[in-house]
Amino acid sequence: MEILWVLMALAMLCVVLLPVLRRRRGAVGLVSPGHPDAADPANYGFALEEELDIRMPGPDQDLLEVLDLVQRTQDYRGAQQLLAGTEAESERRWQRVQAFAGAASLELRQRPGGVGDTPGGQWLRVWRAEAPKDAGGAAVHAEFLVQQAWRTATPGTDDFRIIMEEAKSACSEAALLAPGDPIPYIVELSVARGLGYPREEFEQLWLKILDRAPNHMGAHLAALHYWCEKWHGSRDLAYSFAEAAAARAPRGSLLSAMPLFAVFEHMPEVNLVSGFYQSEVVTKAVHGALHAVHSARPDDPMQAHVRHLLVFFLVRGERWAEAMNQLIVIDGHVGALPWTLSSDPAAEFAVYRALAVAGYEANGGSPATLPQ
């Protein structure tokens, strides 16, 4: 009985001393918000977890205002005008097409409709009916079908294939309405992955995109999925695709960050190698991504995607100050990898942000020492 009391006393002593010892070594762990060792992200002006916007990776005030108007009034014309005024080859137009399609898809999921009930996303149906020759509406409709397939059906099933075949036809229709527009072909990249296009057919599709927008980061990210091991390629093919894109990236392009996305797509679900995040392949990919965001245009909307993934790798690699430098740029929006893979993107992001703050402070950092 006495030995039991001794063991219990030792266990309690460890509980008391472990946080202190870990802090002295510069190690970082999560503690409760009220704990005296708890770092407070609010001290850095970061948004509260409940204020984080999960819809987009970064700010787009025009899009937010139009989305609010469309969903409130169920009138598609605001979306039509915004897309018509957005450059066809731009990353921002691709993001806006995705956002409108996603909004309609989520509305339909929340309000599927029934006898006497209007289903959600009705404004998109009206848009296609009243303006069948509008290229923007056709692109949004194609992307809507793609998102519906991934959200409501299982790849490989008849239901999934039926929706994807319909999406493929919608992509062809959208492409005919705007021959120089890369968006319909970028949408089709997801169809190609879902339906398992043969490589020759996929490469023909990819050439159409390169002819129209050779440095489109969003297109490259969509194509990368096809070449990944879990879909229709392999680790080597995905790495080769990403590295080739980075090698030909023009000055100021974010394509230099592609290898980091390839690394992320092929991470083991359980990483048993302690130094993985300090390994040569990860370090090289992280440095490429850091170079990409430092040299890209400040208004490039794809910067946020790269910075979010950098936060993930920099925190895992215990590069706290560099992680904080990314957080002060992107905080407030979490609609990007890797957070969107979680059922609660805001909570997932908040955990990594708290770790970054704790690690930064454990190594002598403070709000006063963080460059703004």
Side-chain angles (χ1 to χ4, degrees):
M1 188 69 177
E2 290 179 355
I3 189 65
L4 180 60
W5 284 107
V6 170
L7 290 173
M8 289 176 65
L10 286 172
M12 292 179 68
L13 185 62
C14 287
V15 169
V16 172
L17 292 179
L18 185 58
V20 176
L21 292 174
R22 292 185 68 184
R23 194 168 182 83
R24 284 183 178 177
R25 292 199 308 268
V28 177
L30 287 178
V31 295
S32 62
H35 194 283
D37 281 341
D40 188 356
N43 291 338
Y44 297 83
F46 292 147
L48 298 174
E49 181 181 328
E50 57 269 25
E51 296 173 347
L52 295 170
D53 192 327
I54 66 173
R55 295 171 294 180
M56 297 184 299
D60 185 344
Q61 193 58 37
D62 289 341
L63 174 60
L64 287 177
E65 291 175 0
V66 171
L67 264 177
D68 177 68
L69 177 66
V70 169
Q71 294 186 303
R72 182 163 35 85
T73 65
Q74 291 295 296
D75 186 338
Y76 68 87
R77 285 174 293 184
Q80 181 184 38
Q81 292 169 5
L82 184 64
L83 286 183
T86 309
E87 185 181 359
E89 297 82 9
S90 68
E91 304 280 359
R92 194 169 298 282
R93 187 166 186 270
W94 168 229
Q95 290 190 3
R96 287 172 173 177
V97 166
Q98 289 181 297
F100 287 129
S105 179
L106 288 174
E107 277 187 40
L108 182 60
R109 182 178 180 180
Q110 294 164 357
R111 301 195 310 277
V115 179
D117 294 328
T118 301
Q122 183 66 18
W123 54 269
L124 179 55
R125 295 179 181 83
V126 175
W127 188 355
R128 295 296 296 128
E130 293 186 356
K133 302 299 183 183
D134 181 64
V140 172
H141 180 238
E143 174 65 15
F144 165 81
L145 291 170
V146 166
Q147 294 195 28
Q148 281 294 98
W150 291 112
R151 281 196 174 105
T152 65
T154 302
T157 63
D158 288 342
D159 287 345
F160 182 83
R161 178 167 289 275
I162 288 169
I163 303 173
M164 277 298 189
E165 290 287 359
E166 186 180 355
K168 183 177 181 180
S169 297
C171 289
S172 298
E173 183 179 351
L176 288 173
L177 292 172
D181 188 350
I183 301 297
Y185 300 105
I186 299 175
V187 176
E188 193 178 348
L189 289 172
S190 189
V191 176
R193 175 164 56 101
L195 294 180
Y197 281 20
R199 287 185 184 175
E200 183 179 351
E201 185 178 356
F202 182 86
E203 287 171 348
Q204 289 174 353
L205 171 62
W206 183 239
L207 286 175
K208 293 177 181 177
I209 295 170
L210 291 181
D211 285 343
R212 291 161 175 81
N215 301 315
H216 199 288
M217 181 70 173
H220 280 79
L221 291 176
L224 176 64
H225 289 296
Y226 178 91
W227 294 114
C228 284
E229 191 172 60
K230 59 188 173 185
W231 287 104
H232 310 293
S234 66
R235 179 189 298 265
D236 288 343
L237 285 170
Y239 277 30
S240 294
F241 175 80
E243 288 164 2
R248 68 170 183 270
R251 184 177 180 83
S253 169
L254 287 165
L255 291 177
S256 299
M258 285 297 299
L260 188 63
F261 287 87
V263 169
F264 178 76
E265 292 294 337
H266 292 88
M267 284 176 52
E269 289 192 18
V270 179
N271 178 28
L272 300 178
V273 182
S274 60
F276 174 76
Y277 295 98
Q278 291 88 25
S279 66
E280 182 180 355
V281 64
V282 173
T283 300
K284 183 179 177 181
V286 166
H287 286 169
L290 286 169
H291 170 75
V293 295
H294 289 156
S295 60
R297 297 190 328 270
D299 62 343
D300 190 325
M302 293 303 293
Q303 267 209 58
H305 287 276
V306 180
R307 290 184 186 276
H308 279 288
L309 197 60
L310 273 169
V311 168
F312 173 85
F313 279 99
L314 291 170
V315 168
R316 289 287 187 99
E318 299 182 5
R319 296 168 65 168
W320 313 115
E322 291 170 291
M324 291 294 286
N325 288 335
Q326 303 306 316
L327 284 167
I328 60 175
V329 178
I330 59 171
D331 189 72
H333 298 84
V334 295
L337 286 174
W339 328 121
T340 50
L341 297 178
S342 168
S343 59
D344 190 343
E348 185 79 1
F349 173 82
V351 167
Y352 276 78
R353 186 178 62 183
L355 284 169
V357 170
Y360 184 63
E361 293 188 354
N363 287 275
S366 71
T369 62
L370 185 65
Q372 297 295 326

